[in-house]
Amino acid sequence: MKEWGFDGRVRVHAAFTAYLDLCEAKTWWNVSVHPCQELQMVYITGKPVKKANMKLVLPVLAQEEISVERMDTFLKFIKPLSTNEKCEGDGDKSLEEKPHVITLAVVDTDSTVVYYNISNHLQQPKNLDELEEDGSTTQKQKKRKGGQRWHSKKKGKP
């Protein structure tokens, strides 16, 4: 990172920690680090499995305040390296319609890494049943239960 002109010991540590986590803990394939001069940051590309599409990962510090405008800047400047490399969200859509996904690797000072996906499009969850298993209930479920769980009265008592 220093040879690209980026300094800052903490930011170098965050990028290195995310890189090691992807390579060693997550066992990603073809992991590489690339500079983004406009943001004065580096991003990481790699594949979660050998035959998967390439994903873009941006290491950020847990202490950073990240606004919607800042995320939009990330999406504007961090793009796949070449048009022949498919990235997550690519399909048969035109360039303007393609969802552009970046995974933020939020790195804390204790080397904890948490991953969040950001995109230039809203995305529906892949499996709604998984949300219900997590304990969250949908409006349909609440109507079906009739709200009895919340408004139940014991018989015999006024």
Side-chain angles (χ1 to χ4, degrees), residues 10-158:
V10 177
R11 199 168 287 287
V12 170
H13 175 265
F16 184 69
T17 301
Y19 178 84
L20 281 179
D21 188 59
L22 293 172
C23 291
E24 301 297 327
K26 306 268 187 245
T27 62
W28 277 30
W29 291 80
N30 302 331
V31 181
S32 300
V33 179
H34 312 278
C36 179
Q37 296 295 335
E38 296 85 0
L39 297 173
Q40 288 291 297
M41 299 173 78
V42 296
Y43 64 97
I44 302 168
T45 57
K47 297 178 179 187
V49 292
K50 194 172 189 176
K51 294 186 179 184
N53 289 337
M54 192 70 67
K55 291 193 178 191
L56 303 170
V57 179
L58 178 66
V60 295
L61 303 169
Q63 298 78 13
E64 279 186 67
E65 289 188 28
I66 300 175
S67 64
V68 174
E69 291 81 15
R70 182 83 170 136
M71 285 188 271
D72 190 45
T73 305
F74 294 157
L75 290 164
K76 178 180 177 185
F77 290 113
I78 297 177
K79 302 282 184 188
L81 293 177
S82 65
T83 55
N84 57 358
E85 257 185 30
K86 291 184 74 106
C87 278
E88 184 179 14
D90 287 356
D92 294 332
K93 300 177 181 178
S94 70
L95 191 58
E96 295 81 28
E97 295 175 359
K98 284 183 187 176
H100 178 47
V101 178
I102 296 175
T103 301
L104 295 181
V106 182
V107 181
D108 203 356
T109 54
D110 66 354
S111 298
T112 302
V113 184
V114 180
Y115 297 93
Y116 291 96
N117 287 336
I118 62 171
S119 172
N120 62 346
H121 287 73
L122 291 177
Q123 295 178 337
Q124 182 177 0
K126 291 179 182 174
N127 189 350
L128 293 177
D129 293 334
E130 289 177 8
L131 293 175
E132 294 168 7
E133 289 173 6
D134 290 343
S136 60
T137 56
T138 62
Q139 288 291 50
K140 193 174 191 178
Q141 286 178 317
K142 289 178 184 176
K143 287 180 184 177
R144 196 174 2 165
K145 290 180 181 177
Q148 293 175 357
R149 190 171 76 176
W150 303 107
H151 302 290
S152 62
K153 294 183 182 178
K154 293 183 181 179
K155 292 183 180 180
K157 292 188 179 181

